[in-house]
Amino acid sequence: MTEETPGFDEKPDVSPGTDDAEPKAAETSSKEEGSAAPAQDAGAAKDVALTAQLDQAKMALNERTADLQRLQAEYQNYRRRVERDRVTVKEIAAANLVSELLPTLDDIGRAREHGELVGGFKSVAESLETVAAKMGLQQFGKEGEPFDPTIHEALMHSYAPDVTETTCVAILQPGYRIGERTIRPARVAVAEPQPGVTDQKSEDSDDKESGDPEKG
């Protein structure tokens, strides 16, 4: 009698539904692939929106920067204008004050020319001139300088053979200015080249340059 080994004819246990695992996995993968495409589209749309927002922010920043630069330029122009006006007002005030002292300064100048500026009067005169100089007063006008109608006033006129242009030959009253503002022009005597002398000098100069063979 042959003994039967118990359990040899029994079939192995198989979990229910094992045969259907692969079709279900394939179906799940297909669903995931199908859902990945809309996710990518949504991400791309989000990137486009972020890029548009970044461009708008850059544009707004550029506009604000331009506004700031324009305000800075306007402020600098305002400061320069205020400073210029301040200097102008200061010069006008000083000119109005010093212009009242010009006759006294003229008297001091004449006294100095005649040797009368001595003693206590000399100290007072020099103190007054020092104060006027501190206020920016400058004297101008010298003999021998070319005549300039913007700063000179011609009171006397003559001709002279030794000048080649209209020249100040005497300063009757000195001129005064503060900064670029002329308070009083220099009153002068002028001399012009003597008629005919200039033409003769020009002819002589031309003869020397041409090297006339008959001369020398």
Side-chain angles (χ1 to χ4, degrees):
M1 229 175 134
T2 304
E3 294 182 359
E4 294 180 0
T5 303
F8 257 34
D9 294 336
E10 295 180 359
K11 294 181 179 181
D13 295 338
V14 178
S15 300
T18 302
D19 295 339
D20 297 337
E22 292 182 0
K24 287 183 179 180
E27 183 178 355
T28 302
S29 177
S30 299
K31 289 183 179 180
E32 289 179 353
E33 291 178 357
S35 62
Q40 291 178 355
D41 294 340
K46 186 176 181 180
D47 291 341
V48 171
L50 290 175
T51 302
Q53 292 178 359
L54 180 61
D55 292 339
Q56 291 179 355
K58 289 181 177 179
M59 186 179 300
L61 177 61
N62 292 333
E63 291 177 355
R64 298 299 178 270
T65 302
D67 292 341
L68 179 59
Q69 292 174 346
R70 184 168 56 254
L71 288 175
Q72 288 178 338
E74 291 177 355
Y75 178 67
Q76 293 297 331
N77 292 334
Y78 168 76
R79 288 188 59 184
R80 284 192 291 266
R81 187 167 58 252
V82 169
E83 181 64 19
R84 185 173 61 249
D85 293 343
R86 186 185 68 81
V87 173
T88 301
V89 170
K90 182 180 178 180
E91 289 182 354
I92 292 174
N96 292 336
L97 175 61
V98 175
S99 61
E100 300 296 330
L101 300 177
L102 295 186
T104 304
L105 294 176
D106 291 335
D107 293 337
I108 292 173
R110 284 190 290 268
R112 182 178 286 112
E113 291 175 358
H114 292 86
E116 299 175 356
L117 198 63
V118 295
F121 177 56
K122 179 180 179 181
S123 299
V124 174
E126 291 177 349
S127 298
L128 181 60
E129 289 176 336
T130 301
V131 171
K134 287 182 178 180
M135 296 180 68
L137 185 67
Q138 297 177 348
Q139 186 183 99
F140 66 89
K142 295 181 180 179
E143 294 182 5
E145 64 185 7
F147 175 75
D148 184 352
T150 61
I151 60 174
H152 297 137
E153 181 181 352
L155 300 183
M156 299 177 63
H157 176 269
S158 63
Y159 294 96
D162 58 342
V163 297
T164 58
E165 60 181 339
T166 305
T167 306
C168 300
V169 294
I171 306 299
L172 306 179
Q173 272 188 334
Y176 290 97
R177 67 164 64 96
I178 291 181
E180 299 298 326
R181 184 181 301 275
T182 299
I183 300 176
R184 187 183 72 186
R187 292 165 180 168
V188 301
V190 299
E192 290 184 291
Q194 192 169 358
V197 174
T198 304
D199 297 337
Q200 184 64 37
K201 289 182 178 180
S202 299
E203 291 178 1
D204 294 341
S205 177
D206 293 339
D207 291 340
K208 290 180 181 180
E209 290 178 358
S210 62
D212 192 348
E214 296 181 358
K215 296 183 180 181

